[in-house]
Amino acid sequence: MTARTVYAAGGVVWRVVDGKLRILLVHRTKYRDLSLPKGKVDPGETLPETAAREIHEETGIRVSLGVHVGISHYRLPRDREKIVHYWAAEATDAAVRASSFVPNKEIAGLEWVSPKKALKRLSYPVDVDIVEKFRARLDEGALRTFPLVMLRHGKAVSRDDFDGCVDSERPLAPRGRRQAQELVGPLLAFGVRKIVSSPAVRCTTTVRPLAAALGSKVHLEPGVSQDAWEEGCSDVRRVVGDRVRARRPAVLCSHGPVLPDIAAELALATGSIPGSYLGSVSSLDTGDFTVVHLSADNPGSGIVATEKHSSGA
């Protein structure tokens, strides 16, 4: 990121009302315009965190992010550039009922409209372009999704600096502990609710802060451990199959050598056409993760989309 570039994030918030899809537009008080909910990245924040936070702050609705639907670019005064990332985000009935929105000095009102009407009502061409991309996802039947997150554990103490004899007991380094804390926000933004982890200490410690934030436990799974992989007795296929059948947002925390097998099994379990993208999504540095979006209605229709994120620590 550069000083002359302003980064922001937001979403195309959608719901189905009486069988018809509607998206949420915001009436901004100061500018007297109609736009999509979005806002600037706060210091230390990731783009997914920003998107979820800004949607909630502007609309009062808490959402989990779905597929990434596009990026807008435009110029600001003093020759600066603004780059805004957008995700599709379903507003559940419960979330809408729980909305805390009241008109305020930033947002004067909210309006649910059809995508077609949004194209006519939005104030800016860059927002129109994002809604067009959203409509393309809609036409593909790729809107209602759930994420399976492939996470590589945080940075661990090197083998040379580790006094123990069992590699699975090797702990996180200070950088890894920072990564573990910084992963919480973005993983929550994607709605992760279940945590599955290799029993290795460097994996369980990586997801412990997330478990604390969720108030849930870490499900230990030897089938995705590096020990099992090295011994030729890993059980990645079963673990991945269980997660796909469950159709619930989950994170799988594992090791660099095991991640390509997880990606390959995700492709097989969803009927996806294999390709070079599998190598890309599974090639992660420590503390990084890939979100694999799958159709909630028909997981066997293939991987809908993937996106890689860095912990930044």
Side-chain angles (χ1 to χ4, degrees), residues 49 151-155 172-189 192-195 197 200-219 251 253 287 311 313:
E49 286 177 277
L151 169 64
R152 186 175 179 185
H153 62 77
K155 179 68 176 177
L172 292 181
R175 180 181 174 217
R177 293 194 294 272
R178 291 195 300 272
Q179 289 172 323
Q181 294 292 337
E182 293 179 2
L183 282 163
V184 175
L187 291 176
L188 290 178
V192 166
R193 291 295 177 269
K194 189 177 183 70
I195 306 169
S197 174
V201 169
R202 56 191 182 275
C203 287
T204 59
T205 311
T206 297
V207 294
R208 190 176 297 153
L210 175 63
L214 289 171
S216 66
K217 64 179 181 179
V218 177
H219 298 267
V251 58
C253 184
S311 66

Side-chain angles (χ1 to χ4, degrees), residues 129-185:
D129 180 60
I130 293 299
V131 173
E132 289 281 21
K133 292 175 179 176
F134 172 86
R135 291 180 75 192
R137 285 291 189 185
L138 176 63
D139 292 341
E140 295 168 358
L143 210 52
R144 182 170 279 117
T145 60
F146 70 96
L148 291 184
V149 180
M150 299 167 45
L151 169 64
R152 186 175 179 185
H153 62 77
K155 179 68 176 177
V157 170
S158 70
R159 289 182 173 86
D160 291 341
D161 294 333
F162 177 51
D163 294 332
C165 300
V166 181
D167 184 68
S168 62
E169 296 178 358
R170 192 155 44 96
L172 292 181
R175 180 181 174 217
R177 293 194 294 272
R178 291 195 300 272
Q179 289 172 323
Q181 294 292 337
E182 293 179 2
L183 282 163
V184 175

Side-chain angles (χ1 to χ4, degrees), residues 1-269:
M1 297 186 179
T2 67
R4 302 197 67 80
T5 302
V6 176
Y7 289 89
V12 182
V13 181
W14 64 275
R15 64 189 294 212
V16 176
V17 181
D18 297 329
K20 297 180 180 180
L21 188 135
R22 297 288 184 262
I23 64 175
L24 186 59
L25 308 184
V26 296
H27 290 259
R28 297 197 297 177
T29 306
K30 178 180 178 180
Y31 300 102
R32 297 182 178 275
D33 58 12
L34 200 58
S35 67
L36 300 170
K38 65 181 181 298
K40 291 187 290 186
V41 174
D42 281 346
E45 198 174 47
T46 64
L47 287 163
E49 286 177 277
T50 301
R53 175 183 56 76
E54 284 289 342
I55 289 169
H56 179 246
E57 288 181 358
E58 292 197 350
T59 72
I61 299 172
R62 295 192 183 276
V63 299
S64 296
L65 304 183
V67 294
H68 190 269
V69 291
I71 307 172
S72 66
H73 303 253
Y74 51 95
R75 307 304 300 184
L76 295 172
R78 298 189 296 276
D79 198 34
R80 293 179 301 161
E81 181 182 25
K82 189 168 186 177
I83 299 176
V84 189
H85 286 251
Y86 290 91
W87 280 265
E90 181 180 8
T92 64
D93 290 342
V96 172
R97 287 194 299 270
S99 172
S100 58
F101 176 80
V102 292
N104 56 76
K105 64 181 180 180
E106 183 177 359
I107 306 297
L110 309 177
E111 187 174 359
W112 291 97
V113 301
S114 68
K116 184 177 181 180
K117 183 174 288 188
L119 296 176
K120 299 176 181 178
R121 300 282 309 284
L122 283 163
S123 301
Y124 306 106
V126 288
D127 286 349
V128 170
D129 180 60
I130 293 299
V131 173
E132 289 281 21
K133 292 175 179 176
F134 172 86
R135 291 180 75 192
R137 285 291 189 185
L138 176 63
D139 292 341
E140 295 168 358
L143 210 52
R144 182 170 279 117
T145 60
F146 70 96
L148 291 184
V149 180
M150 299 167 45
L151 169 64
R152 186 175 179 185
H153 62 77
K155 179 68 176 177
V157 170
S158 70
R159 289 182 173 86
D160 291 341
D161 294 333
F162 177 51
D163 294 332
C165 300
V166 181
D167 184 68
S168 62
E169 296 178 358
R170 192 155 44 96
L172 292 181
R175 180 181 174 217
R177 293 194 294 272
R178 291 195 300 272
Q179 289 172 323
Q181 294 292 337
E182 293 179 2
L183 282 163
V184 175
L187 291 176
L188 290 178
F190 286 105
V192 166
R193 291 295 177 269
K194 189 177 183 70
I195 306 169
V196 178
S197 174
S198 159
V201 169
R202 56 191 182 275
C203 287
T204 59
T205 311
T206 297
V207 294
R208 190 176 297 153
L210 175 63
L214 289 171
S216 66
K217 64 179 181 179
V218 177
H219 298 267
L220 301 183
E221 185 48 77
V224 295
S225 69
Q226 186 163 335
D227 287 345
W229 182 85
E230 290 177 349
E231 294 166 6
C233 59
S234 64
D235 200 7
V236 173
R237 177 163 296 182
R238 175 187 58 79
V239 176
V240 169
D242 287 347
R243 292 299 94 225
V244 173
R245 285 191 297 275
R247 306 188 193 197
R248 294 290 185 271
V251 58
L252 303 177
C253 184
S254 188
H255 309 261
V258 188
L259 293 174
D261 288 356
I262 293 176
E265 292 300 336
L266 273 170
L268 284 171

